[in-house]
Amino acid sequence: MRIARRAQRIEPFYVMEVAKAAAAMAREVAHSAQPMIFLNIGEPDFTAPPLVQQAAARAIHDGNTQYTQATGLQPLRECISRWYASRFHADVAPGRIIITAGASAALQLACLALIEAGDEILMPDPSYPCNRHFVSAADGNAVLVPTTTEERFQLSAAKVQAVWTDKTRGVLLASPSNPTGTSIAPEELRRIHEFVTSRGGITLIDEIYLGLSYEERFGHTALAMADGLGDNIISINSFSKYFNMTGWRLGWLVVPESLAPVIERMAQNLFICPSTVAQHAALACFEPESLAEYERRRAEFKARRDYFIPELNRLGLTVPVMPDGAFYAYADCTAAAAKLGVSGSWDFAFELMKRAHLAVTPGRDFGTDAPERYIRFSTANSMEQLREAVARLETVLG
């Protein structure tokens, strides 16, 4: 059977390959003194709050399970619009908001609508692997641009200008980023967007961790950019991270008004609509009680960051840039790997799995610029589990 070239270009998702190995070992050690601790997957350990769960059950009980419009429930689009206004002081009209089957569908729709075969999209290295694969699936080419710790592992306007060619269609950024948890400074983002716009390009920005920002300097949506510049930003967001609804597969896309009918037409054909039950449940995310609970959880994620990253630094797993959002620690494991007699983050990750029953993610997924130096820890786990992980690391690393 002949496989399409676009499918052959999609690399394995190594995060999940490591997860499979960790799950297999977890079964072996489940009843030992050290059961497996999972710090590898970027999934909140919190589930949807009570009001959200109740809203889902009510939708099923009342028979509110039929198709919605491809753009999603109008009340949900209006809730998101009000959330942007109250949380970020951004004026985002409901008509610009398209509800999608997770952020993945949002990215797919944006890429299919805007990328022609052979178009190049600039992305920082390191970055989330699936983002570049959405570009590939649209027959575009993701161009990974190496970044530095001084740049907070983010693209700069100077680098975007330096690598821009006639084939470049635009940029795909993430703020806060997976795997680093770092955001782009607002002034730098503005410079990037102004340059991209001057070249007739597109600025796509993955903001799925925006709700989990911890520092005032960085916790701003690109959609709030002044002088109307935010009106032609394409923002991808999700109910998975801040709203703790990972398996519900619900996200949204914010586009310029002129692009909304195009995205709607594509969504009608490709997806019909997002999950109706998940949409009715998501309406309850914006109730005051739910929002208060999300803010309590955000404070807990920050407390985990503030505990765990100094401990990693103390143990020689240096996190070169303090994350300002999300729930990741991107640590240089060079010295720690040498202590264990292995070389590179891939072997180090499996050594930790074997010796400490600790699952982490090696840097192989996230780019090509020295991925062997870095491992990603997810702090989306309880403080108790994080403290136990530190104790095991201390035992193993000495």
Side-chain angles (χ1 to χ4, degrees):
M1 181 181 294
R2 181 172 63 85
I3 306 299
R5 279 179 291 181
R6 75 174 62 85
Q8 295 177 33
R9 289 202 303 270
I10 305 300
E11 302 166 25
F13 195 3
Y14 293 108
V15 169
M16 304 313 294
E17 295 300 312
V18 174
K20 285 193 291 187
M25 183 172 288
R27 290 190 290 271
E28 297 176 11
V29 302
H31 302 293
S32 72
Q34 285 194 337
M36 186 69 69
I37 295 176
F38 293 92
L39 301 183
N40 55 323
I41 301 297
E43 180 172 33
D45 55 323
F46 300 113
T47 58
L51 288 184
V52 177
Q53 297 181 38
Q54 292 163 19
R58 190 164 55 249
I60 295 171
H61 179 270
D62 294 346
N64 291 327
T65 58
Q66 296 177 314
Y67 294 139
T68 69
Q69 293 293 318
T71 52
L73 289 171
Q74 183 63 20
L76 183 55
R77 299 165 80 192
E78 292 170 357
C79 281
I80 294 171
S81 175
R82 289 193 294 270
W83 184 67
Y84 275 118
S86 62
R87 176 73 183 267
F88 303 108
H89 308 292
D91 182 12
V92 181
R96 295 177 58 195
I97 299 168
I98 314 294
I99 310 300
T100 59
S104 297
L107 268 164
Q108 183 180 13
L109 287 166
C111 289
L112 290 175
L114 295 165
I115 296 173
E116 299 279 11
D119 283 349
E120 294 182 348
I121 301 294
L122 307 180
M123 300 173 62
D125 187 342
S127 59
Y128 183 57
C130 296
N131 287 3
R132 67 178 184 265
H133 296 325
F134 283 114
V135 173
S136 295
D139 291 327
N141 297 312
V143 177
L144 295 180
V145 181
T147 59
T148 66
T149 56
E150 291 75 21
E151 295 167 323
R152 302 178 55 77
F153 293 117
Q154 294 283 357
L155 287 183
S156 65
K159 278 192 173 171
V160 170
Q161 293 180 43
V163 300
W164 194 279
T165 71
D166 291 341
K167 293 182 179 180
T168 307
R169 179 72 176 105
V171 296
L172 174 49
L173 312 170
S175 186
S177 166
N178 178 2
T180 65
T182 61
S183 299
I184 308 173
E187 60 274 14
E188 194 65 38
L189 177 58
R190 182 185 177 95
R191 284 191 285 268
I192 292 172
H193 185 48
E194 286 178 332
F195 172 76
V196 171
T197 301
S198 74
R199 294 300 183 95
I202 54 174
T203 301
L204 298 98
I205 182 159
D206 170 349
E207 294 189 320
I208 71 173
Y209 295 99
L210 182 64
L212 293 175
S213 292
Y214 310 124
E215 298 177 21
E216 175 57 29
R217 180 188 174 198
F218 297 109
H220 308 282
T221 175
L223 298 165
M225 205 175 292
D227 304 320
L229 284 171
D231 293 344
N232 61 349
I233 290 280
I234 296 158
S235 171
I236 294 94
N237 216 312
S238 173
F239 284 93
S240 290
K241 309 304 181 180
Y242 176 71
F243 295 103
N244 307 153
M245 295 176 68
T246 51
W248 302 68
R249 305 315 304 136
L250 197 66
W252 73 87
L253 182 64
V254 179
V255 299
E257 287 186 4
S258 60
L259 187 57
V262 178
I263 298 293
E264 179 177 11
R265 184 173 71 244
M266 295 179 65
Q268 288 169 338
N269 283 276
L270 295 179
F271 298 101
I272 307 298
C273 71
S275 163
T276 300
V277 172
Q279 290 187 71
H280 282 286
L283 287 167
C285 291
F286 302 98
E287 294 291 334
E289 180 182 326
S290 296
L291 290 172
E293 176 61 15
Y294 287 130
E295 284 302 285
R296 187 196 68 76
R297 294 175 180 187
R298 181 168 72 103
E300 175 62 22
F301 280 125
K302 180 179 182 296
R304 296 171 183 180
R305 177 200 71 163
D306 293 346
Y307 162 73
F308 193 66
I309 290 180
E311 289 296 293
L312 289 181
N313 289 331
R314 179 177 66 83
L315 293 168
L317 287 160
T318 306
V319 180
V321 186
M322 184 66 162
D324 56 84
F327 35 63
Y328 300 113
Y330 202 53
D332 188 331
C333 67
T334 307
K339 278 189 175 183
L340 300 190
V342 297
S343 177
S345 60
W346 183 264
D347 289 343
F348 180 68
F350 279 89
E351 201 68 16
L352 282 186
M353 197 185 304
K354 181 174 69 176
R355 296 197 193 190
H357 299 168
L358 183 62
V360 300
T361 298
R364 183 178 294 184
D365 261 324
F366 304 114
T368 58
D369 185 40
E372 69 281 353
R373 285 182 56 188
Y374 292 98
I375 56 173
R376 188 196 72 180
F377 292 88
S378 168
T379 55
N381 211 325
S382 70
M383 189 69 83
E384 179 184 10
Q385 290 275 277
L386 293 177
R387 293 187 189 279
E388 174 62 20
V390 167
R392 293 186 192 181
L393 286 169
E394 192 155 27
T395 298
V396 169
L397 295 175

